[in-house]
Amino acid sequence: MNRLGSFLLVTGLWVSQLPAAPVQAQTITDNNDPAFGRNGHVQIIASIPTPDPSGIAVVNGRLFLTFPKHDGDHTGPVLAEWKDGHLLPFPSAAFSAGSGGAPQARLISPHGMTTDTKGNLWVIDDGKIKGQPIPAGGAKVVGINPITGQIIASVPLTNALLPQSHMNDLRIDLTHGAKGTAFITDSSFDGHPALVVLDLATGRQRRVLENTVSILPDPGYQTVLDGRVLHYDPAHPTFPAGGADGITLSAGSERVYYAPLASRRLYSLPTDKLADFSLSSAQLAALVVDEGEKGAADGLATDPWNRIYTTAADHDAVFRRNPDGTFELLASDPRFVWPDGIFADHQAVYVVLGQWNRLPRLHNGQDLRKPPFLVARIPITAP
């Protein structure tokens, strides 16, 4: 039995805002289905012909997805609600079109998505369209009221942004700062990953922990995807990225947990220190805790009971760490090809099956992804 250091995500705490209705599965198959040799109860709740989704959040039974453009431009909304088998632009067609209009006034390429403890949606727009530079105002943190569709915040990334930044995922800590603090992973397209700290009230921002072990890929990192033994090699990439990627908060926002993609280690910091702009990056590095093994995780999430869920592309699976430190397989399924964005509430764990290891840039220009692109739901109950 593997063990994983304690890490928790602010999620599911908004469920008291409105009566929640479960996301309905289009196709439900149980463990007696001989077509899949998996573990766990897996429900497919969305089957999307195109484009490929990444970020995910569920609010009161409503499923929201992001569709980034950094690996290829596409038509259709870049932020949408999946409803009755269709993608509905959210919060409006103009704002989620991904093209047209001033970069600061619309979404361009949103990637990670989360909720805060008040039930608002937050997305990180990395502003990157494949083959194009990031325009001024394109990279930003956007907050949206999911009930009204009102944009409650849009804070541009400026001095914390590098030309080849890949603002990958984020979590919102409402316990620090007048309007909260965003913690962001910059996975970087050119080997300069970092954590980004953003004060949502003032726009003050900075990069921290650059060139430290908790941000960088592990030397000699190896994994197995689609039956191939792969190594992290930025000169000849065979999987999407290497640096800081997954990020999460403890249930009370006391700690932030994060991990490089090409690493099996999990790291953490106290949020009061990370949100403190008076501390240097070197001082923060001295406070980093190695929480131990986390597996080959991309996305990280926890439920309201502080059980942790982590994607595992090398096992076509989602794992769970219980509060007592035990680590278990929640579900595995051959359809879990590079499980990416993940979200948990009091009813289920939701995961996007991104197929990102099959991108053309990882296979000499050949796109090996096989539509439709799936979103899965794994029911859970209280411990």
Side-chain angles (χ1 to χ4, degrees), residues 113-312:
M113 181 162 48
T114 190
T115 58
D116 64 25
T117 53
K118 293 182 178 179
N120 295 307
L121 280 174
W122 293 86
V123 298
I124 178 66
D125 186 353
D126 76 359
K128 177 71 174 178
I129 297 177
K130 184 179 181 180
Q132 302 180 24
I134 301 172
K140 53 193 170 291
V141 172
V142 177
I144 308 171
N145 184 316
I147 300 173
T148 66
Q150 178 187 3
I151 307 300
I152 61 172
S154 183
V155 186
L157 294 170
T158 53
N159 57 293
L161 183 73
L162 299 180
Q164 291 298 317
S165 283
H166 173 29
M167 299 299 175
N168 191 312
D169 207 352
L170 83 166
R171 293 295 179 262
I172 304 298
D173 171 15
L174 296 183
T175 68
H176 296 97
K179 294 184 179 179
T181 301
F183 302 124
I184 304 160
T185 51
D186 181 358
S187 297
S188 180
F189 289 116
D190 66 351
H192 296 88
L195 290 190
V196 171
V197 182
L198 172 65
D199 185 308
L200 294 170
T202 66
R204 189 179 184 186
Q205 57 195 260
R206 64 171 179 162
R207 303 171 63 83
V208 297
L209 301 178
E210 291 178 295
N211 299 314
T212 65
V213 66
S214 69
I215 295 297
L216 297 172
D218 288 347
Y221 178 80
Q222 175 181 291
T223 190
V224 178
L225 299 172
D226 280 342
R228 298 190 304 155
V229 178
L230 305 176
H231 299 84
Y232 177 70
D233 179 1
H236 304 91
T238 53
F239 46 93
D245 191 303
I247 189 168
T248 187
L249 290 171
S250 61
S253 296
E254 300 91 351
R255 298 192 73 82
V256 62
Y257 296 82
Y258 61 95
L261 181 62
S263 171
R264 298 183 186 275
R265 310 304 294 179
L266 180 74
Y267 302 94
S268 77
L269 272 169
T271 53
D272 62 337
K273 303 300 184 184
L274 188 56
D276 186 349
F277 282 76
S278 71
L279 295 180
S280 69
S281 189
Q283 288 174 309
L284 290 175
L287 297 172
V288 171
V289 174
D290 184 337
E291 300 285 352
E293 173 77 21
K294 55 91 178 172
D298 186 341
L300 305 172
T302 64
D303 64 22
W305 303 281
N306 288 336
R307 299 176 301 185
I308 298 92
Y309 302 88
T310 170
T311 61

